[in-house]
Amino acid sequence: MKKLFIFLAIVLLLGHGQFYPVAAQATRPSRTLTADQYADRLRVFEEFVRQQMEKNRIPGLTIGFIKDDYVWVKGFGYADLENKVPAKVESAYRLASLQKSMTAAAILQLAERGKINLDAEIQTYVPYFPKKKYPVTVRQLLYHLGGIPHYVNRDVEQHIKEHKTTRETIAIFENFDLVAEPGTKFSYSTYGYNLLGAAIEGVSKQSYADYMREHIWQPLGMKDTRMDDPLDLIANRVRGYQLVNGELKNSEFIDVSSRFAGGGTRGTVTDLLKFMKGLNDGKLLARKSIDLMYAPTKTRDGQISGFPKTAGYAMGWNIVPQQSGLVLINDGGQQETRTFILNFPEKKFALAIAQNFERDDDGALIFRLYELVLNEKFSLGSQ
């Protein structure tokens, strides 16, 4: 989540594309702007995207938004530089930590069905995970308050090249000490969300992939979202890039199965928009669960828990309120990719971007598109 700190420090706010209708129906104009008004503004925005890509040496990206029932998604630059394959609407990027928002939704879905108690110890559902000095609950893991460490030996744990099963993934960190007593300190942890993924498997008797496909992705029409696997043939898979001594190079090869429920998927910007719209339309969770998902928590001493310059961390989301309502954001970064989603439920607005470049250069694009659609400035730290 280093990217979040960079993003929150930015006070400003690339081509092949199309208008993508919801549920294969004709796209209808927003109640805020007409189709012609959108077209005029988007022409200017597209030129801005291209300028930013050239300035920041971004090989390729896909960006889009949904406002009411109006959806726009477009690809810019290249998904594969060596073979000159254009980035497009269908380009499939690694989603990285955006997966945590989906895992949180799955946990709340199982809680609604009485299969998971949020205040139960995680060993209730993952019995092979060793007991720690203090009890660690499902709810604490959702909020990153469980004391589970993030990457301890980064030179090893962030560069795993072997495919891992769930049990092998949990074994990576199962003997690590807690970084704090649960409930006392916000400590971001992909491993904590891997435990939640293992809990989903434990109660559903399905693999994490099968549960997510059946209960989250397919019900929302997210046909291009799946677990990433370097051996599988994945349509429209993008190649990733990095800068090494000022020169553009291919990304390091890693296998992200060791981050499965916290960052092990691949998908499209269109599917990310479908996910947020599905949450906002009540297709996955009841209103009570949505309210819980979007509510920040506090540490035991009464302090709001989360990253600086936010109003706290909810379940799978960072909270950045605006004067006109509650905005939720999440971002991801790993080899091959940088991703970002923004959800503004009261405005029926969602925004998503994915790029195949390991630098955090999308802040200007995010803010510019937000302001273009909503006619208001995005402010950091508003209460």
Side-chain angles (χ1 to χ4, degrees), residues 16-18 20 62 73-75 79 86-93 223-224 234-238 266-271:
H16 300 265
Q18 68 189 64
Y20 199 97
T62 303
V73 182
K74 189 166 183 174
K88 53 187 180 179
V89 171
E90 299 85 3
S91 292
Y93 300 80
K223 61 183 179 62
D224 296 313
I234 300 178
N236 302 302
R237 185 202 296 261
V238 305
R266 185 176 290 269
T268 64
V269 164
T270 299
D271 275 7

Side-chain angles (χ1 to χ4, degrees), residues 114-148:
K115 295 185 176 182
I116 282 184
N117 177 351
L118 297 182
D119 295 310
E121 290 187 50
I122 190 61
Q123 288 84 1
T124 307
Y125 312 111
V126 190
Y128 55 83
F129 185 68
K131 290 272 191 176
K132 298 299 176 181
K133 182 178 180 180
Y134 304 99
V136 179
T137 69
V138 173
R139 190 187 303 270
Q140 289 168 338
L141 293 173
L142 285 165
Y143 287 123
H144 296 294
L145 286 173
I148 301 296

Side-chain angles (χ1 to χ4, degrees), residues 323-362:
Q323 289 187 351
S324 58
L326 179 70
V327 170
L328 304 126
I329 63 175
N330 192 9
D331 71 295
Q334 58 189 207
Q335 287 89 333
E336 296 190 18
T337 196
R338 292 296 185 269
T339 54
F340 184 92
I341 51 178
L342 180 151
N343 190 14
F344 200 156
E346 291 93 335
K347 299 279 189 179
K348 297 184 178 180
F349 171 70
L351 178 158
I353 183 172
Q355 66 181 39
N356 59 351
F357 190 42
E358 297 175 23
R359 285 182 58 181
D360 304 313
D361 294 322
D362 55 10

Side-chain angles (χ1 to χ4, degrees), residues 229-284:
D229 190 325
L231 297 183
D232 286 350
L233 300 178
I234 300 178
N236 302 302
R237 185 202 296 261
V238 305
R239 295 282 299 272
Y241 303 94
Q242 60 178 323
L243 275 182
V244 179
N245 297 323
E247 186 177 352
L248 207 60
K249 297 283 189 179
N250 287 315
S251 291
E252 172 197 10
F253 169 80
I254 65 166
D255 187 312
V256 294
S257 56
S258 63
R259 316 174 186 196
F260 72 112
T265 53
R266 185 176 290 269
T268 64
V269 164
T270 299
D271 275 7
L272 292 171
L273 296 176
K274 289 178 179 179
F275 171 64
M276 291 182 283
K277 179 173 171 56
L279 286 174
N280 296 342
D281 290 349
K283 292 182 178 180
L284 290 180

